[in-house]
Amino acid sequence: MKMKGYAMLGIGKTGWIEKEIPACGPLDAIVKPIAVSPCTSDVHTVWEGAIGDRKDMILGHEAVGEIVEVGALVKDLKVGDKVIVPAITPDWGSLEAQGGYSMHSGGMLAGWKFSNFKDGVFAEYFHVNEADANLARLPEGIDPASAVMLSDMVPTGFHGAELAGVEYGDSVCVIGIGPVGLMSVAAASLKGAGRLFAVGSRPNCVEAAKAYGATDIINYKNGDIVAQIMDLTGGKGVDKVIVAGGDNDTFIQAITMLKPGGRIGNVNYLGSGDYVRVPRIEWGCGMGHKTIAGGLMPGGRLRMEKLVSLMQYGRLDTSRLLTHRFKGFEHMEEALMLMKDKPKDLIKPVVVL
Ligand code: NDP
Ligand code: ZN
């Protein structure tokens, strides 16, 4: 049986295609989406060719859906269950997962399957490997559109704060306050950051950053962000930096604004260029104890269950990320183009089906 999906046809080209409905393995599930959201990563993939060419690959890795089929060995989930689908769906038996890096199960970044080397979620149906380990039930009372932010924006943004090792009272700078960076602001705030700088320019994002806990806003369009941070900190800099926007040269700024002993947590997807440069003097001539950690978000059920509990118990409200809501798959292209063009009033679009 055939289904429709919105696909990358080649670098720079997207459109609707028809494919076979995916088959369900014994540990797997087939899911019908209820709400999906396009991601800046889809834009890197299609228009920058960041992971190389892909032909007729269905896009999308952010979804909440309903299970329509489960494999014979699936224990905890059944047909009709509503589930949150993480963007990263590791192979939990792999050695990388056993080593604590499930997102790299099977090779670097290979826990990222949807819209990378397997069809994604912008389709009438999609396949989820290891359903018991990779899907979390959507709790009653949580809006599916808000819950889609748990697929990627929340776990990625929160991972930025984990990678930076934010501790009580730290001064933190979050560079980039699109939906990912906003969730880094929320995470740094929950982890107890003291002074919390947020770097961005879109007015909606700035307002959201304040609501999520930013104490100071830095507009990178108003001059060098390092100079602005140094000015505001009496020349000392910050304890931690989370990078969720900018480009390869943003690392030069992040290292420069960091205090000795500080950590950078990067979740930005560097879509082009060959090298990231480290400034020698500002890195303490190699002796500054300034650590750079960069990582793909962890996926899987346990993390989704923990993160959704933050929404259930009122500690995190993702609904303010949703600036553009659409009804029906016919709006998929419009929603993706918003992510590509980033109009001033955009934080994140969602398509409810
Ligand atoms: P957005 O494009 O919405 O946000 C980027 C932010 O960076 C904006 O606030 C933007 O400011 C700001 N910015 C742009 N240029 C600069 C600059 N030169 N200096 C400082 N800030 C700048 O992206 P998303 O929030 O959707 O995603 C952020 C990144 O995270 C993307 O690269 C995405 O692919 C990646 N990602 C990584 C994942 C992971 O697992 N590691 C998963 C998902 C996404 P302005 O307000 O002007 O727009
Ligand atoms: Zn994404």
Side-chain angles (χ1 to χ4, degrees):
M1 275 232 300
K2 297 269 190 204
M3 63 170 193
K4 283 203 165 82
Y6 191 76
M8 170 168 177
L9 309 176
I11 292 177
K13 280 181 273 168
T14 59
W16 286 99
I17 58 169
E18 277 207 340
K19 277 202 171 175
E20 286 296 321
I21 294 177
C24 188
L27 292 169
D28 308 340
I30 304 299
V31 177
K32 180 176 81 171
I34 296 171
V36 299
S37 182
C39 178
T40 305
S41 300
D42 293 313
V43 175
H44 291 306
T45 301
V46 176
W47 284 279
E48 290 176 23
I51 52 174
D53 203 1
R54 297 287 189 277
K55 190 158 170 31
D56 295 345
M57 177 187 71
I58 296 174
L59 288 166
H61 50 258
E62 301 184 16
V64 163
E66 181 179 327
I67 295 182
V68 296
E69 187 180 350
V70 287
L73 300 179
V74 173
K75 296 192 196 93
D76 296 342
L77 295 163
K78 57 181 190 321
V79 170
D81 282 348
K82 294 196 168 67
V83 287
I84 306 160
V85 185
I88 307 301
T89 52
D91 300 313
W92 290 94
S94 67
L95 295 179
E96 293 86 356
Q98 290 179 32
Y101 290 92
S102 60
M103 65 293 272
H104 302 298
S105 64
M108 192 157 64
L109 308 182
W112 171 26
K113 298 175 193 292
F114 291 127
S115 69
N116 181 2
F117 54 81
K118 158 182 172 177
D119 281 324
V121 302
F122 298 164
E124 289 174 283
Y125 301 95
F126 58 88
H127 167 271
V128 181
N129 59 298
E130 299 188 26
D132 280 330
N134 280 322
L135 292 172
R137 261 197 209 89
L138 178 70
E140 287 291 324
I142 304 267
D143 168 31
S146 296
V148 180
M149 298 300 104
L150 292 166
S151 294
D152 191 355
M153 299 301 97
V154 178
T156 296
F158 276 51
H159 197 42
E162 290 166 333
L163 290 167
V166 175
E167 293 173 9
Y168 303 124
D170 275 345
S171 53
V172 179
C173 178
V174 178
I175 304 179
I177 46 168
V180 171
L182 286 170
M183 290 301 94
S184 295
V185 170
S189 198
L190 281 165
K191 276 179 163 286
R195 196 168 187 187
L196 181 40
F197 300 92
V199 180
S201 83
R202 277 177 277 160
N204 267 353
C205 296
V206 165
E207 283 319 303
K210 289 181 193 160
Y212 285 124
T215 59
D216 298 72
I217 302 294
I218 309 267
N219 187 336
Y220 65 98
K221 294 183 176 166
N222 290 349
D224 179 24
I225 61 173
V226 176
Q228 295 190 60
I229 291 274
M230 289 305 176
D231 239 23
L232 289 164
T233 57
K236 295 259 186 252
V238 293
D239 296 308
K240 307 284 160 63
V241 178
I242 301 171
V243 182
D247 55 26
N248 298 8
D249 285 344
T250 302
F251 288 91
I252 298 175
Q253 297 173 308
I255 288 167
T256 309
M257 70 171 71
L258 203 59
K259 288 182 193 169
R263 274 182 81 88
I264 296 170
N266 176 70
V267 287
N268 198 21
Y269 172 170
L270 303 174
S272 54
D274 291 326
Y275 294 98
V276 172
R277 294 182 299 154
V278 172
R280 184 181 64 84
I281 303 277
E282 290 76 3
W283 204 41
C285 304
M287 298 175 283
H289 290 102
K290 296 188 181 186
T291 305
I292 306 171
L296 180 66
M297 64 164 259
R301 169 178 168 184
L302 178 64
R303 184 160 170 97
M304 289 298 111
E305 287 182 352
K306 288 197 173 189
L307 292 174
V308 76
S309 81
L310 295 174
M311 290 174 70
Q312 275 178 289
Y313 297 101
R315 297 191 194 283
L316 179 68
D317 176 8
T318 57
S319 68
R320 67 158 40 247
L321 299 179
L322 306 177
T323 48
H324 294 66
R325 288 179 188 245
F326 297 97
K327 179 80 185 146
F329 254 144
E330 62 273 25
H331 296 287
M332 202 59 248
E333 177 160 337
E334 204 179 328
L336 179 64
M337 291 307 160
L338 281 173
M339 254 359 230
K340 178 169 178 274
D341 299 336
K342 303 269 159 78
K344 271 204 158 8
D345 60 343
L346 178 82
I347 302 183
K348 186 85 173 168
V350 66
V351 180
V352 178
L353 302 162

